[in-house]
Amino acid sequence: MEFVGTPVWAWGVFFIIVVGLLILDLGVLNKRDHEIGVGESLWLSAFYIAASCLFGLGIGLFLGHEQALEFFTGFAIEKSLSLDNMFVISLIFTTFAVPRIYQHRVLFWGIVGVIVMRGVMIGIGAVLIAKFHWVLYIFGAFLIITGIRMLKPSGHEHAPEHESAIKCHPVVKFLQGHIRMTDEFHGHQFLVHKMHPGKGRLVYYATPLLLALVVVEVADIIFAVDSIPAVFAVTQDPFIVYTSNIFAVLGLRALYFALAAVIYRFTYLKYALAAVLIFIGSKIFYAELVEKVPALVSLSVTFGLLTIGVLVSLLKTRKRA
């Protein structure tokens, strides 16, 4: 039996692994609220990367060498594009003054939302491509334009302006205007029971932690608009697109606590990402007009560009405070 071209057992194995990782994360490693240090963040991230690599090797063993190369290419692209998302998440936590001890809880439940929302978005993308092949050309053009736009300065240094923009975001305004919300945190609770001053009875109030979670989810949906077409440009296999996305996000959220403190060191990585997007977008047109680009070439070019971006960034910012 197959589901969207992939054996059902492969989907089952994937979801069992993801559920197992989530249970291990929240139910065992982070059962009690605590501040995650850089060391713990790095070890947890290394564990997720190892799990992702083993899954990729399993794809190569049971589904094919080509699919494994596409998985690792999609994984690298999603992982790198999500770095900018880390900057935004850091701003969200700063804007709503989320204590570090509760930030992991927001990221954890944010992953649960990502698993659902990216599944929906990838499903829609797969249906569109299957029925209208020309949608791939739109994806390709979109990626090229996005890559060119990324070559312009991003203005991340103006953090106060970004914080103000987050507070004035339509989603934030809507939630603050339509649901009851406390001004203070109540531990790691997203909802609390409090006495309503007008009704004289207990009602549910949302806490700032829930507001931060919703904004993180909205930010991820916005970033998925870039990342999902990029992986679809590598492969149109929904299984590879979805699994590479989820494994990349799982590992990156774990790395957040180490990455948030040094994100400024990756100043030049966005230029490498821009080159990757332009390459991936152009590959769609090249494949249609000339011939398909081998998966190994795509993986090599992607890793090569990203490695150059990281090395140049670390070299150029080595003396920055």
Side-chain angles (χ1 to χ4, degrees), residues 289-308:
L289 299 175
V290 185
E291 61 179 350
K292 183 179 179 181
V293 178
L296 183 59
V297 173
S298 297
L299 179 61
S300 301
V301 172
T302 299
F303 267 101
L305 289 171
L306 294 177
T307 300
I308 292 172

Side-chain angles (χ1 to χ4, degrees), residues 19-42:
V19 171
L21 289 173
L22 293 177
I23 292 174
L24 177 66
D25 193 334
L26 191 64
V28 179
L29 300 178
N30 295 284
K31 190 174 183 179
R32 296 181 179 179
D33 294 324
H34 68 285
E35 289 191 24
I36 296 180
V38 173
E40 182 180 353
S41 176
L42 291 174

Side-chain angles (χ1 to χ4, degrees), residues 86-114:
M86 292 298 98
F87 173 82
V88 175
I89 290 175
S90 179
L91 278 177
I92 292 171
F93 285 156
T94 301
T95 301
F96 297 114
V98 178
R100 282 183 59 86
I101 194 172
Y102 304 132
Q103 290 178 5
H104 177 270
R105 188 172 179 84
V106 174
L107 293 175
F108 175 87
W109 289 108
I111 289 173
V112 176
V114 165

Side-chain angles (χ1 to χ4, degrees), residues 33-273:
D33 294 324
H34 68 285
E35 289 191 24
I36 296 180
V38 173
E40 182 180 353
S41 176
L42 291 174
W43 276 111
L44 193 57
S45 178
F47 170 74
Y48 276 115
I49 291 174
S52 303
C53 290
L54 288 175
F55 186 81
L57 292 175
I59 290 177
L61 184 62
F62 294 102
L63 299 182
H65 178 70
E66 188 85 359
Q67 286 88 334
L69 292 175
E70 291 172 346
F71 171 84
F72 285 116
T73 304
F75 178 82
I77 291 172
E78 175 62 32
K79 194 91 164 172
S80 304
L81 286 173
S82 296
L83 286 175
D84 208 37
N85 202 2
M86 292 298 98
F87 173 82
V88 175
I89 290 175
S90 179
L91 278 177
I92 292 171
F93 285 156
T94 301
T95 301
F96 297 114
V98 178
R100 282 183 59 86
I101 194 172
Y102 304 132
Q103 290 178 5
H104 177 270
R105 188 172 179 84
V106 174
L107 293 175
F108 175 87
W109 289 108
I111 289 173
V112 176
V114 165
I115 292 173
V116 176
M117 292 306 302
R118 297 223 175 179
V120 172
M121 296 175 73
I122 290 171
I124 294 173
V127 171
L128 287 174
I129 292 173
K131 290 188 175 182
F132 311 102
H133 185 72
W134 49 264
V135 170
L136 268 179
Y137 301 129
I138 296 178
F139 282 177
F142 174 76
L143 292 174
I144 293 172
I145 294 172
T146 302
I148 294 172
R149 289 178 61 187
M150 284 181 67
L151 295 175
K152 300 178 181 179
S154 60
H156 279 180
E157 63 275 8
H158 303 299
E161 295 179 14
H162 285 279
E163 291 177 24
S164 177
I166 291 174
K167 290 180 180 179
C168 297
H169 194 281
V171 173
V172 175
K173 291 294 185 182
F174 177 83
L175 291 175
Q176 291 176 333
H178 290 80
I179 64 174
R180 293 182 291 266
M181 191 167 295
T182 64
D183 294 325
E184 67 284 342
F185 291 92
H186 290 262
H188 64 215
Q189 300 298 322
F190 293 112
L191 296 170
V192 291
H193 239 154
K194 288 185 66 177
M195 185 67 68
H196 193 284
K199 297 181 179 179
R201 60 184 176 85
L202 290 174
V203 296
Y204 279 106
Y205 280 79
T207 69
L209 207 62
L210 180 62
L211 184 59
L213 173 62
V214 173
V215 177
V216 166
E217 292 288 5
V218 171
D220 185 80
I221 291 174
I222 294 172
F223 276 94
V225 173
D226 285 338
S227 64
I228 290 177
V231 184
F232 265 122
V234 173
T235 175
Q236 287 79 61
D237 185 340
F239 180 75
I240 301 299
V241 176
Y242 186 58
T243 55
S244 62
N245 257 258
I246 299 305
F247 269 110
V249 173
L250 280 173
L252 203 63
R253 297 295 171 97
L255 186 59
Y256 166 78
F257 296 95
L259 197 61
V262 296
I263 191 68
Y264 69 92
R265 292 291 305 275
F266 298 97
T267 306
Y268 297 91
L269 180 60
K270 72 167 190 170
Y271 299 112
L273 287 172

Side-chain angles (χ1 to χ4, degrees), residues 4-24:
V4 292
T6 300
V8 172
W9 64 262
W11 286 100
V13 169
F14 166 70
F15 282 113
I16 289 173
I17 292 174
V18 170
V19 171
L21 289 173
L22 293 177
I23 292 174
L24 177 66

